[in-house]
């Protein structure tokens, strides 16, 4: 099977088993770059059965020496190639996952950067956008990602039971998160007194579009951090 056809079949398989659009897009980008490299080495279309461990190892080396990819990025790309071959073995296109024989890139552990509760309050108080101010506190007390936050509906946030139902988490996994007593009164005030009327059922709603975008939140956050003179990532 041609590598190009194998990649197309694998991406279709990921869609069929409900992998998230972001995951599929990420694998598509990585595997298409791999295909481009392999075809340059083979001087034309390549068959997956012809690709060797040495070919993949040379590709991984090129990611380091030519593209200057970080260890984390190289590790992620190798995992995508391994997933492709795992699929091909399962479909009996190839008999062996050659990518398994390529050594995993060692990724150095980075110390996590975080904000203290006092820093979160300083950050929130420096924000003039009232909805983003609330969202910043909400993110801190729940640990949700920004995209998870903006995807919440009115039904997802249960202020009586003090919990949040996250339906669109990473990998489309669903989970329930308890709400801190510190954030519940702020959410009640928002919902009952100043949430704008909109036909959109987003919990965090804006007056103009009915919802708020991750770009808006991040833009306000970065500006606030810059105004405070913070250098934390």
């Amino acid at each position: 099977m041609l590598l190009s056809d194998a990649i197309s079949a694998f991406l279709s398989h990921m869609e069929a088993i409900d992998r998230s659009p972001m995951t599929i897009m990420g694998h598509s980008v990585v595997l298409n770059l791999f295909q481009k490299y392999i075809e340059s080495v083979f001087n034309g279309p390549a068959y997956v059965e012809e690709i060797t461990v040495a070919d993949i190892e040379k590709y991984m080396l090129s990611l380091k020496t030519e593209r200057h990819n970080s260890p984390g990025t190289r590790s992620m790309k190798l995992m995508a190639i391994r997933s492709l071959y795992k699929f091909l073995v399962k479909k009996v296109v190839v008999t062996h996952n050659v990518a398994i024989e390529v050594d995993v890139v060692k990724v150095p552990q980075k110390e996590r950067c975080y904000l203290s509760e006092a820093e979160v309050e300083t950050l929130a108080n420096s924000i003039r956008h009232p909805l983003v101010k609330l969202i910043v506190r909400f993110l801190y007390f729940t640990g949700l990602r920004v995209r998870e936050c903006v995807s919440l509906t009115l039904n997802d946030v249960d202020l009586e039971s003090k919990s949040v139902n996250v339906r669109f988490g990473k990998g489309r996994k669903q989970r329930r998160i308890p709400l801190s007593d510190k954030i519940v009164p702020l959410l009640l005030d928002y919902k009952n007194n100043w949430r704008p009327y909109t036909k959109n059922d987003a919990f965090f709603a804006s007056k103009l579009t009915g919802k708020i975008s991750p770009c808006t939140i991040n833009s306000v956050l970065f500006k606030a951090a810059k105004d405070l003179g913070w250098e934390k990532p």
Side-chain angles (χ1 to χ4, degrees):
M1 178 183 282
L2 286 171
L3 177 58
S4 57
D5 292 338
I7 292 173
S8 295
F10 175 58
L11 296 176
S12 295
H13 168 72
M14 292 183 72
E15 186 174 358
I17 61 174
D18 291 330
R19 291 291 183 262
S20 72
M22 291 295 291
T23 299
I24 295 173
M25 183 185 298
H27 278 69
S28 176
V29 171
V30 169
L31 294 174
N32 285 330
L33 286 173
F34 175 62
Q35 176 190 334
K36 185 177 180 180
Y37 171 86
I38 291 295
E39 289 181 347
S40 69
V41 171
F42 280 65
N43 292 316
Y47 288 87
V48 290
E49 297 90 340
E50 299 175 321
I51 300 171
T52 66
V53 175
D55 292 326
I56 301 176
E57 288 177 336
K58 288 176 182 177
Y59 174 64
M60 296 303 298
L61 181 61
S62 75
L63 293 178
K64 178 180 180 180
T65 59
E66 297 174 22
R67 290 185 172 271
H68 306 291
N69 285 177
S70 67
T73 299
R74 285 181 278 131
S75 176
M76 176 270 294
K77 290 182 176 180
L78 177 58
M79 292 304 106
I81 297 170
R82 283 186 170 188
S83 295
L84 168 65
Y85 271 91
K86 181 179 179 181
F87 164 76
L88 295 175
V89 169
K90 186 176 181 180
K91 296 299 180 180
V92 201
V93 175
V94 296
T95 58
H96 179 60
N97 186 342
V98 292
I100 286 289
E101 297 183 29
V102 179
D103 291 336
V104 176
V105 180
K106 186 175 181 180
V107 181
Q109 294 294 319
K110 294 182 179 179
E111 184 177 351
R112 288 189 177 273
C113 180
Y114 65 92
L115 299 181
S116 66
E117 188 169 345
E119 287 174 321
V120 172
E121 280 303 304
T122 299
L123 179 63
N125 289 331
S126 71
I127 294 173
R128 295 183 180 180
H129 194 303
L131 185 56
V132 177
K133 183 192 293 282
L134 175 62
I135 288 173
V136 165
R137 292 189 171 109
F138 179 82
L139 292 172
Y140 175 75
F141 284 111
T142 61
L144 264 65
R145 299 172 177 85
V146 174
R147 288 192 178 276
E148 292 174 336
C149 175
V150 300
S151 297
L152 294 173
T153 66
L154 289 167
N155 290 332
D156 291 328
V157 182
D158 189 339
L159 297 177
E160 289 188 8
S161 67
K162 299 180 181 180
S163 65
V164 175
N165 182 35
V166 183
R167 294 179 294 115
F168 302 103
K170 188 174 182 181
R172 290 189 172 179
K173 293 180 180 178
Q174 184 170 322
R175 67 189 191 280
R176 183 167 289 276
I177 295 176
L179 287 172
S180 165
D181 289 335
K182 293 183 179 181
I183 193 65
V184 170
L186 300 178
L187 297 176
L188 280 169
D189 177 57
Y190 160 71
K191 184 178 180 181
N192 296 333
N193 300 319
W194 57 279
R195 181 183 181 273
Y197 172 77
T198 173
K199 293 181 180 180
N200 194 308
D201 68 347
F203 184 82
F204 293 107
S206 68
K207 189 174 182 179
L208 291 177
T209 63
K211 58 183 179 180
I212 188 167
S213 72
C215 291
T216 297
I217 297 170
N218 286 328
S219 177
V220 173
L221 267 176
F222 291 143
K223 184 180 184 306
K226 184 177 179 180
D227 291 344
L228 289 168
W230 288 0
E231 296 183 356
K232 284 188 175 183

